[in-house]
Amino acid sequence: MHKIPVTVITGFLGSGKTTAIRHLLQNNQGRRIAVIVNEFGEVGIDGELLRDCQVCDDEGDAMTNIVELTNGCLCCTVQEEFLPTMQELLKRREQIDCILIETSGLALPKPLIQAFRWPEIRTGATVDGVVAVVDCEAIASGNFVGDIDALMAQRQADDSLDHETPIEELFEDQLACADMVLLTKVDRVDVETQKKVQTWLQQELRPSVKIVPCKGGEINPDVLLGFNAAVEDNLESRPSHHDTEEEHDHDDDITSTYFIADRDFEPDELVKKLQSLMQQQEIYRIKGFVAVPKKPMRMVLQGVGDRIEYFYDRAWKPSELRQTKLVFIGRELDSAKIQSFL
């Protein structure tokens, strides 16, 4: 029987992975796509967004095709949750054309791909390709890697740098494993800045890896699917910082916490509070849903760096509570202070 092609979507926090997957689901060109979402945080924000993309029928396909793993990185939990999840999907291989796996922004891609060498999975699925999603605006403004010119100069001056932060190593490992880079939010920088970002990225990638600019996650499925790379068979050509380690340790200082309240917030007031919180604590990412006074629509809020955006995605359902739910991901977060501040 044929192997199901699996596309792994990796990338740093807030880079736009969920948006790209949502667009793929809404423009699947007849493909029957199953999605596995790995969520870092105790509230399944990304999974909910995908389930509400309104491309699934009313019989609950979204609940069965989209599997949310909420207990940490896939590379840590694959033996506990990923294997049975894949086995269940493989039982339905005649109903599935391809599988998308959205990794946590904090997950290394290679340990996940190595799982496709397991006998239980190898005969039924193959990693078709790895797509790394990169936020052009964030890199250009220094929210993640700092000043690009300074970083390039530093790397050119010293090829044996060993003082990288865990997040820098993670970013490099994601790029090293990629078959393609999806460069998002290019409409928010000028042409010269975009070229500068692409030039820097190209130096970090294998020569054959292409960079594809993207606005709003809108990308033709034919571009992201169908690499036929069988990545699990050539991992040796994709070097990682963790190749010599038996197991990798996560940066335990990077944590997630959540805020849930049975109350409404005015958007402008909430954004000011969150921006103030970002100044007080090292918050990498904020995402969630907000109840807004006198609004029948649910508000989706996403924040990365010092940038906070929001939009209304759908009406509140009669069966659900009008709650404000926010997930915070960052370093050494003080949950109590976040709770009291909000």
Side-chain angles (χ1 to χ4, degrees), residues 142-176:
N143 285 338
F144 169 48
V145 294
D147 183 84
I148 292 177
D149 291 330
L151 185 61
M152 287 176 63
Q154 187 180 31
R155 289 185 185 279
Q156 290 169 353
D158 185 2
D159 292 332
S160 60
L161 289 174
D162 58 1
H163 301 293
E164 298 155 320
T165 68
I167 291 178
E168 285 174 330
E169 289 185 3
L170 169 59
F171 185 66
E172 290 167 3
D173 280 9
Q174 289 174 347
L175 293 180

Side-chain angles (χ1 to χ4, degrees), residues 32-56:
R32 297 168 299 176
I33 301 174
V35 180
I36 298 177
V37 179
N38 177 63
E39 182 66 45
F40 186 87
E42 298 186 46
V43 179
I45 298 301
D46 286 351
E48 256 191 87
L49 276 176
L50 289 171
R51 281 196 293 272
D52 291 327
C53 70
Q54 299 179 341
V55 299
C56 303

Side-chain angles (χ1 to χ4, degrees), residues 317-328:
K317 298 175 182 176
S319 59
E320 65 184 339
L321 294 174
R322 277 182 59 103
Q323 286 185 320
T324 294
K325 297 181 181 180
L326 298 175
V327 175
F328 297 80

Side-chain angles (χ1 to χ4, degrees), residues 25-258:
L25 290 176
Q26 291 170 327
N27 300 273
N28 58 19
Q29 298 177 348
R31 295 177 178 88
R32 297 168 299 176
I33 301 174
V35 180
I36 298 177
V37 179
N38 177 63
E39 182 66 45
F40 186 87
E42 298 186 46
V43 179
I45 298 301
D46 286 351
E48 256 191 87
L49 276 176
L50 289 171
R51 281 196 293 272
D52 291 327
C53 70
Q54 299 179 341
V55 299
C56 303
D57 62 29
D58 295 330
E59 297 179 3
D61 279 353
M63 295 301 291
T64 55
N65 284 347
I66 297 176
V67 182
E68 238 178 286
L69 309 178
T70 60
N71 59 344
C73 294
L74 271 176
C75 52
C76 287
T77 63
V78 286
Q79 292 181 355
E80 298 169 15
E81 285 197 53
F82 177 67
L83 178 57
T85 295
M86 282 300 300
Q87 287 176 317
E88 284 302 310
L89 290 178
L90 290 178
K91 290 178 184 177
R92 303 172 55 187
R93 67 173 70 183
E94 294 305 321
Q95 301 171 280
I96 297 172
D97 295 317
C98 60
I99 298 173
L100 299 178
I101 299 179
E102 178 189 353
T103 69
S104 159
L106 298 169
L108 291 165
K110 283 187 76 170
L112 167 63
I113 295 164
Q114 285 168 340
F116 284 82
R117 293 175 171 177
W118 296 348
E120 300 94 330
I121 299 177
R122 188 181 186 92
T123 57
T126 179
V127 181
D128 182 74
V130 178
V131 176
V133 184
V134 176
D135 182 337
C136 183
E137 184 185 26
I139 291 181
S141 62
N143 285 338
F144 169 48
V145 294
D147 183 84
I148 292 177
D149 291 330
L151 185 61
M152 287 176 63
Q154 187 180 31
R155 289 185 185 279
Q156 290 169 353
D158 185 2
D159 292 332
S160 60
L161 289 174
D162 58 1
H163 301 293
E164 298 155 320
T165 68
I167 291 178
E168 285 174 330
E169 289 185 3
L170 169 59
F171 185 66
E172 290 167 3
D173 280 9
Q174 289 174 347
L175 293 180
C177 204
D179 293 282
M180 176 176 286
V181 169
L182 191 62
L183 190 62
T184 61
K185 306 174 188 177
V186 294
D187 51 321
R188 300 185 183 179
V189 300
D190 57 44
V191 174
E192 191 61 35
T193 300
Q194 180 185 331
K195 288 181 179 178
K196 185 188 264 188
V197 170
Q198 289 189 224
T199 299
W200 175 76
L201 279 173
Q202 201 67 64
Q203 294 175 353
E204 301 291 311
L205 297 166
R206 288 172 289 126
S208 61
V209 177
K210 302 297 184 185
I211 300 172
V212 179
C214 174
K215 301 176 184 178
E218 297 180 2
I219 188 74
N220 188 320
D222 291 331
V223 175
L224 295 189
L225 306 175
F227 285 93
N228 298 315
V231 181
E232 67 274 14
D233 293 331
N234 62 45
L235 277 175
E236 290 71 22
S237 67
R238 303 166 191 243
S240 162
H241 288 280
H242 303 273
D243 284 343
T244 59
E245 301 176 8
E246 289 292 324
E247 297 179 357
H248 77 274
D249 294 323
H250 289 299
D251 188 341
D252 292 333
D253 292 337
I254 297 179
T255 58
S256 70
T257 186
Y258 61 93

